[in-house]
Amino acid sequence: MPVPAEKSISMALGVVIRRLPGVTRWAKWSWKPVAVLPGAGAADWTLLREDGEAAEFHAATVPLTLYRGEAEAYKIALSEPAPCVYVVLREASGAWPYAVHLVTASPHEAQLFAESGEEIVEKVAMPAGLAAWVQSFTDAHYVEEQFVKRKRRKHMDAKQQDGIGDPRIAQPTDVYRAPGARKAGPP
């Protein structure tokens, strides 16, 4: 499957969220993203399956956008034993407690959302077709950076530090100065 040499490409992903009864008295329900549906149509919390109190909803369809600058992050995500995308949920004020904010294939971007603590970030397994699509984009845009060892600068080698104290102040009582830097003289 050829991938265009554009800066970014997108695919619509439907997000499936499972609702289970809460395990504490403070949370009536537990909500967790469990699957993505590549190429799904528009949805707004459509009930897919119900089994007793457990239910699965097609919560929303959002674009998964791949950027060529993030190709290294996608390579890291694809190198896991089970490649995943990350679903970011935000609290909503309406009939449903959460809204799907974002789906990303970049673990770095997911980490940024997880650090805030405001959103729920969950890993969801990539279907094989989606993994192949991300892999082809990554292969087309990933460029491995050559490691270049940094060389010392000559003007930095000339300076010699003789302790923590200020070298401009010549005091024999400078407790921060290295003993070798003190001038020899009568005690």
Side-chain angles (χ1 to χ4, degrees):
M1 160 169 45
V3 175
E6 297 175 5
K7 292 182 180 181
S8 65
I9 57 174
S10 295
M11 175 188 286
L13 281 184
V15 178
V16 178
I17 297 180
R18 182 177 293 149
R19 181 190 71 191
L20 295 171
V23 293
T24 67
R25 62 182 170 170
W26 293 279
K28 183 175 180 181
W29 300 106
S30 169
W31 302 86
K32 182 177 180 177
V34 292
V36 290
L37 308 169
D44 186 26
W45 290 92
T46 305
L47 180 65
L48 298 176
R49 180 180 1 187
E50 196 167 19
D51 184 20
E53 291 187 0
E56 289 185 356
F57 299 92
H58 181 180
T61 300
V62 295
L64 169 64
T65 305
L66 302 179
Y67 300 96
R68 93 175 146 195
E70 291 284 322
E72 183 178 2
Y74 306 143
K75 188 166 183 76
I76 291 169
L78 292 168
S79 67
E80 293 183 9
C84 296
V85 292
Y86 300 86
V87 177
V88 179
L89 300 178
R90 281 196 174 157
E91 285 190 33
S93 58
W96 299 98
Y98 295 101
V100 179
H101 175 68
L102 174 77
V103 177
T104 181
S106 170
H108 304 315
E109 187 175 13
Q111 179 64 33
L112 292 174
F113 281 101
E115 285 176 353
S116 73
E118 297 291 322
E119 294 91 5
I120 295 175
V121 180
E122 291 287 339
K123 288 172 77 171
V124 176
M126 272 192 216
L130 180 60
W133 182 70
V134 174
Q135 183 71 53
S136 64
F137 181 83
T138 303
D139 291 343
H141 296 288
Y142 176 70
V143 177
E144 189 168 350
E145 291 184 25
Q146 188 78 13
F147 175 75
V148 178
K149 186 173 180 180
R150 183 179 62 88
K151 294 183 180 182
R152 288 181 180 230
R153 293 180 276 176
K154 299 241 187 244
H155 70 278
M156 296 298 284
D157 290 339
K159 294 181 180 178
Q160 184 179 14
Q161 187 174 0
D162 60 339
I164 299 173
D166 190 349
R168 296 173 290 175
I169 301 173
Q171 296 179 1
T173 58
D174 189 356
V175 295
Y176 295 109
R177 188 172 310 282
R182 292 184 184 164
K183 296 189 180 203

